[in-house]
C-alpha cells in the first residue's frame, strides 16, 4: 500500500502528506469496518451460516 501511495503521489505531483490527508476519511471507514468485522462475531459469520458451512 505504501508503494502505491508513493507512486500515485509522484504521478499526481503531490506530496505524500497531501495524499494522506485527502484519504483520511477512507482510512477511517476501513478501520471502522475492520473493527466491526473483528469484534462483532455475527457480522463476520453470517455468510458461512447462510451457505450452511
Amino acid at each position: 500500500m505504501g508503494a502505491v501511495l508513493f507512486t500515485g503521489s509522484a504521478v499526481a505531483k503531490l506530496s505524500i502528506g497531501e495524499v494522506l490527508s485527502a484519504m483520511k476519511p477512507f482510512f477511517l471507514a476501513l478501520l471502522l469496518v475492520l473493527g466491526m468485522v473483528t469484534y462483532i462475531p455475527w457480522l463476520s459469520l453470517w455468510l458461512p451460516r447462510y451457505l450452511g458451512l
Side-chain angles (χ1 to χ4, degrees):
M1 187 167 171
V4 172
L5 281 173
F6 183 74
T7 305
S9 69
V11 168
K13 295 185 174 112
L14 297 171
S15 70
I16 297 281
E18 289 174 319
V19 173
L20 286 177
S21 66
M23 292 183 66
K24 245 183 236 181
F26 300 105
F27 283 130
L28 291 175
L30 283 172
L31 288 174
L32 177 68
V33 171
L34 176 64
M36 288 172 56
V37 168
T38 303
Y39 294 109
I40 303 173
W42 64 265
L43 192 61
S44 59
L45 294 174
W46 73 270
L47 184 60
R49 287 184 184 149
Y50 178 75
L51 295 175
L53 301 173

